[in-house]
Amino acid sequence: RVEAQPLEFALTRFPGKEAWRLSQERGSVVLIDIWATWCEPCRDSLPFYDDLARQYAARGLKVYAMSVDADPAVIGPFLQELKLQLPVLHDPEAAIAGSVLKVSQMPTTVLIDRRGVVRRVHEGLSDDFFQQTLTDVETLLAEPAKDEK
């Protein structure tokens, strides 16, 4: 059985432009929601992730909202309007979303296990989406963090 390779990429955080690397989250289950201010379904998914982040933080879930908006000026007002507390990563040219994560529609959710391996990618927003995401998060949080050999 071939082990999938851990994913690695770097972005800046919004609004302060601090450097962020996925590898710094090893040991946590990471959920990245790729979104944009012009995406209507994202208005439904982002508050769900905000709640999920609070609900599961103590168990090791890290949730990031990854904006592909070209203009960072539109991000702040959008976050305020939805009253979101999620940490935001900025991918202004959609370089990571496009080439690394192969995103073809918004929102796209990427679930990464404690070793940094992508375990599920869910595109769009379907009826069973929220329940499926909860199930996936529970499953990954229940896995032990395997020691790197």
Side-chain angles (χ1 to χ4, degrees), residues 11-20 24 64 87-90:
L11 283 170
T12 56
R13 296 194 45 165
F14 173 87
K17 293 194 181 342
E18 303 90 352
W20 177 89
Q24 74 194 39
Y64 290 93
V88 174
L89 303 173
H90 193 210

Side-chain angles (χ1 to χ4, degrees), residues 8 54 68 103:
E8 174 61 327
R54 280 192 288 275
V68 295
V103 171

